[in-house]
Amino acid sequence: MDTLTPTSTAATTDSYRPALHYSAKDTWLNDPNGLIFHDGVYHLYYQNNPLGNVWGNMSWGHATSTDLLTWTEHPVAIACDDNEDIFSGSIVHDRHNTSGFGDGSTAPLVAIYTSAFKPGSLHEGVQAQSLAYSLDGGYSWTKHGGNPVLNRGSAEFRDPKVIWYDGGADSFWVMVAVEAADFQVVLYKSRDLKAWELLSTFGPANATGGVWECPDLFPLPVDGDPENVKWVLTVNLNPGGPNNGSAGQYFIGDFDGTTFTSASTVTEGLQDPDRLGDYQWLDWGRDYYAAVSFSDAPENRRLMIAWMNNWEYANQIPTTPWRSPMSLAREISLQARDGELCLVQQPAGDWTALAGTEQFHLSGTNIDDGVQVLAGAAGTVQRIDVSFTPGSAEEFGLILRGDGVKGTRVGIRPGEGTLLVDRRESGRTDFHDSFPSIDSAPIQATSGSYDLTIFVDRCSVEVFAQDGQVTMTELIFPAETSTDVAVYATGGTATMNSLQVTQLG
């Protein structure tokens, strides 16, 4: 076991510790695992190093929430040992006790996770799927004595997401996992979560610039119509994102209980590097990875959380003793926009509960060439709702967590059809060469305007553009004194139709 232990620098911890996003108290975290809503509680498990604040000793950490906004950390749920590391996976509520793990009065929660077998173990070098179960609502876990339950003899077979497929008289469990290095999703079926039968494979397709990881498969109604349901397959990859490093893509199609058929594939086989911008991305920012959805969310909502970091620099971000936050929880819907189906994402939770009394408003404001700091809008933890109409400016937008003209620039270039986040002057950027970046996403005006909702936290910005059709998530590490909000235009003018800054936390 790695003997690295966390060290503490209180000023840094206080400066960057997020107020709106979950972070572990004093350890490392990465991929969200086992997301489930059970007995009125949202459970967030995650890849965790309980002994340090860099990647290693992979175990499942655990946090809970009743509102998706405030989280309580619990002891490590499923710990690594001398035989295996506990890699990513999922949790199901085995209501009918198909697994036999129930005790006659309590239906078990069953975790399906990847065993990454260590040197000297019986399955050394192999990644295979294993089970653990809980009879107390997810707070303590027992590993299945018959692990692993699914072994392909592969070193890169991981990240099982298990769902219940309702086929009427023929219903069963379905697992989607990956052969990571082959850019392939593999689908299996089971009646009891223990014996698995191969159904089909999907891929390679669209982005294949890095290994495929952390898949998910779920149905969504189109525009809320229960008579028109499509299936969504999400696949994360590292590296190979549209702005470099880690990212997540998705496919829309149909699933018949055996095969997922994509209707949105742009390129079959290996990717076309010139078409990265044509693929459908969960998020265009640098720091939204391993996104998976909750099982059993209330009212059939599809809720998703991602790891807010990037493998390019994840172990080096300047936080201590904790390292890495999670994204905000997002509600996902499937909508028809401009004749095409796309995922639309909105921040989940009752944000009015966190809103303070301090709010800043502007409307009908002309933006001249240059930078104008907005007196009264400063803050470190904010929700910003803004609408722009383009004019003659080549670029316009906001500078957040700023110090005069320097800060994190969230801008629009209407001539290019581009939304950008520029963090080259966002604060501390010297810890890794790839961190100071200017990242972009495609965007088009809606009824002549650009509408953004931006959540600013102590170490991040999450941008939801055009009612959630485009999102960008980026880590930033500004000085505590960098609290300005400014508006700017370059090469001309624009109009800010409205601006509301709400202090949160």
Side-chain angles (χ1 to χ4, degrees):
M1 298 278 276
D2 188 345
T3 58
L4 177 66
T5 55
T7 57
S8 177
T9 303
T12 300
T13 300
D14 292 341
S15 174
Y16 299 143
R17 170 81 70 178
L20 307 178
H21 299 77
Y22 176 72
S23 59
K25 179 182 177 181
D26 56 9
T27 57
W28 162 276
L29 65 77
N30 56 287
D31 306 0
N33 299 151
L35 305 185
I36 190 167
F37 180 78
H38 185 68
D39 287 344
V41 176
Y42 294 96
H43 291 263
L44 164 64
Y45 301 85
Y46 51 88
Q47 293 284 274
N48 176 233
N49 179 359
L51 302 180
N53 66 354
V54 295
W55 187 91
N57 309 309
M58 282 294 98
S59 304
W60 276 23
H62 184 204
T64 57
S65 176
T66 57
D67 60 7
L68 296 172
L69 300 177
T70 55
W71 295 91
T72 299
E73 184 171 353
H74 299 281
V76 170
I78 308 176
C80 64
D81 56 28
D82 292 338
N83 185 57
E84 63 177 358
D85 279 322
I86 311 299
F87 278 13
S88 291
S90 54
I91 290 174
V92 297
H93 183 202
D94 186 11
R95 292 173 175 81
H96 304 296
N97 195 26
T98 64
S99 63
F101 292 141
D103 65 1
S105 60
T106 302
L109 295 180
V110 181
I112 308 93
Y113 66 88
T114 297
S115 293
F117 288 104
K118 294 181 176 180
S121 68
L122 179 63
H123 303 289
E124 177 177 343
V126 165
Q127 294 180 0
Q129 312 321 315
S130 295
L131 305 178
Y133 63 91
S134 173
L135 298 177
D136 64 358
Y139 296 94
S140 63
W141 293 86
T142 301
K143 292 180 181 178
H144 173 43
N147 286 337
V149 296
L150 179 55
N151 185 358
R152 292 165 57 101
S154 169
E156 300 282 351
F157 173 44
R158 57 180 176 267
D159 307 342
K161 178 63 183 289
V162 173
I163 63 172
W164 179 256
Y165 178 73
D166 187 359
D170 189 23
S171 300
F172 44 84
W173 299 108
V174 171
M175 175 195 295
V176 288
V178 293
E179 280 288 355
D182 296 335
F183 318 114
Q184 192 170 74
V185 174
V186 290
L187 292 88
Y188 284 82
K189 69 181 289 186
S190 176
R191 306 287 180 182
D192 62 1
L193 296 170
K194 296 174 181 176
W196 293 91
E197 171 190 344
L198 180 65
L199 290 172
S200 61
T201 63
F202 174 82
N206 286 6
T208 58
V211 295
W212 280 17
E213 295 186 315
C214 302
D216 200 351
L217 179 67
F218 48 85
L220 282 177
V222 177
D223 294 326
D225 180 2
E227 301 301 316
N228 184 12
V229 174
K230 294 293 182 181
W231 284 78
V232 178
L233 174 67
T234 65
V235 185
N236 293 268
L237 74 157
N238 173 58
N243 285 295
N244 297 322
S246 317
Q249 62 181 326
Y250 67 92
F251 302 86
I252 301 170
D254 295 294
F255 178 61
D256 62 3
T258 300
T259 303
F260 173 78
T261 305
S262 171
S264 65
T265 297
V266 177
T267 51
E268 298 279 0
L270 299 183
Q271 71 181 26
D272 179 347
D274 295 329
R275 303 201 68 183
L276 282 182
D278 296 331
Y279 303 149
Q280 290 183 302
W281 298 99
L282 287 170
D283 192 284
W284 291 80
R286 296 289 297 280
D287 298 303
Y288 191 85
Y289 189 63
V292 288
S293 66
F294 279 88
S295 299
D296 300 336
E299 300 173 347
N300 291 318
R301 299 168 72 196
R302 186 57 52 179
L303 302 170
M304 182 172 280
I305 289 180
W307 178 47
M308 196 160 62
N309 210 335
N310 191 307
W311 279 118
E312 285 191 325
Y313 43 72
N315 285 287
Q316 288 81 39
I317 65 170
T319 63
T320 187
W322 62 281
R323 188 173 272 125
S324 292
M326 292 296 179
S327 74
L328 296 177
R330 299 180 180 183
E331 182 163 4
I332 310 298
S333 62
L334 187 58
Q335 298 182 18
R337 297 281 182 96
D338 300 322
E340 294 187 356
L341 296 180
C342 67
L343 289 185
V344 172
Q345 306 177 64
Q346 294 289 349
D350 180 9
W351 291 98
T352 60
L354 293 183
T357 57
E358 295 183 42
Q359 293 192 354
F360 177 85
H361 301 270
L362 284 176
S363 61
T365 304
N366 293 324
I367 310 170
D368 295 323
D369 197 341
V371 177
Q372 178 186 351
V373 175
L374 301 176
T380 58
V381 182
Q382 302 173 312
R383 170 176 173 156
I384 299 175
D385 295 278
V386 63
S387 175
F388 295 103
T389 297
S392 58
E394 297 173 0
E395 179 182 321
F396 53 85
L398 299 173
I399 298 173
L400 308 174
R401 290 301 307 269
D403 180 10
V405 299
K406 291 185 177 182
T408 300
R409 188 163 54 105
V410 178
I412 295 163
R413 294 176 177 168
E416 299 176 5
T418 298
L419 169 70
L420 63 89
V421 177
D422 182 350
R423 60 183 183 185
R424 293 173 298 176
E425 295 183 329
S426 60
R428 185 166 178 190
T429 63
D430 60 353
F431 55 88
H432 195 279
D433 289 345
S434 70
F435 187 81
S437 62
I438 180 168
D439 304 317
S440 62
I443 190 173
Q444 297 297 325
T446 301
S447 300
S449 67
Y450 298 90
D451 301 320
L452 311 179
T453 295
I454 307 169
F455 287 85
V456 182
D457 207 345
R458 295 182 184 127
C459 68
S460 64
V461 293
E462 280 184 81
V463 183
F464 298 81
Q466 305 304 67
D467 197 33
Q469 185 174 350
V470 177
T471 63
M472 294 188 74
T473 301
E474 306 265 349
L475 290 174
I476 57 172
F477 299 99
E480 284 188 85
T481 54
S482 296
T483 62
D484 289 343
V485 176
V487 63
Y488 77 94
T490 303
T493 63
T495 300
M496 188 162 61
N497 306 318
S498 61
L499 172 71
Q500 177 172 304
V501 179
T502 303
Q503 308 297 335
L504 299 175

